[in-house]
Amino acid sequence: MSEIQRNTPLISQLLDTWIKGETSEEYTLANYANAAAIIFQNVSAVNWAGFYLYHSETNTLALGPFLGKPATALITPDKGVVGKAFTTQETIVVPDVRAFSGHIVCDVDSNAEIVIPITTANGQKIGVLDIDSTELSRFGKQEQTDLEHFVQTLLQYVNAI
């Protein structure tokens, strides 16, 4: 195992290997879909994992590829955890969604949430990765670090839609 692999979260290694193995580097939508599936299958106690993608012409975050129960299709920046993370461009970890003022309920079984902004190196806001869990306080510092790295890995293979 190389030093780079040793310092790269396993979930990011899975994503990178899958995309390269499929030779889908240029297929943004397919890469978002497989990224959601990799999270859903490999992160424990997750009941929803997916993307909200920004549409500048309507100033809206639109539901993108995901796994889980049906979800809110359109979210305005600043609304809910998704909108706040997009607007502030900071990862938001919510240990108990019922305690988050303005939380948008899509699945009543969700108890915790993490939302990571997806932004290019030159500052273009693409959207967010949104993950819900049935467990309270599911996402800690290590998961946050690993999932932020996962988003950086994904950015190598996606463009704004």
Side-chain angles (χ1 to χ4, degrees), residues 68-85:
K69 292 181 181 177
T72 301
L74 303 172
I75 298 176
T76 305
D78 281 333
K79 299 291 183 194
V81 183
V82 165
K84 184 173 182 185

Side-chain angles (χ1 to χ4, degrees), residues 75-118:
I75 298 176
T76 305
D78 281 333
K79 299 291 183 194
V81 183
V82 165
K84 184 173 182 185
F86 179 79
T87 300
T88 64
Q89 288 294 287
E90 294 179 3
T91 298
I92 298 178
V93 176
V94 182
D96 181 354
V97 296
R98 286 157 191 78
F100 188 92
S101 179
H103 176 256
I104 299 168
V105 178
C106 293
D107 181 346
V108 296
D109 294 329
S110 293
N111 287 308
E113 184 171 12
I114 184 169
V115 180
I116 300 116
I118 304 170

Side-chain angles (χ1 to χ4, degrees), residues 5-86:
Q5 287 176 315
R6 197 177 350 265
N7 293 325
T8 301
L10 180 58
I11 194 121
S12 295
Q13 291 179 45
L14 287 168
L15 178 65
D16 193 52
T17 301
W18 187 268
I19 291 172
K20 287 178 179 174
E22 287 288 308
T23 61
S24 65
E25 292 93 342
E26 303 301 319
Y27 295 89
T28 293
L29 189 59
N31 294 334
Y32 277 122
N34 278 325
I38 286 168
I39 290 169
F40 197 78
Q41 292 296 314
N42 292 284
V43 178
S44 65
V46 166
N47 62 316
W48 200 95
F51 299 92
Y52 280 90
L53 304 172
Y54 184 61
H55 293 264
S56 59
E57 60 281 353
T58 58
N59 192 34
T60 304
L61 290 153
L63 182 62
F66 74 95
L67 281 93
K69 292 181 181 177
T72 301
L74 303 172
I75 298 176
T76 305
D78 281 333
K79 299 291 183 194
V81 183
V82 165
K84 184 173 182 185
F86 179 79

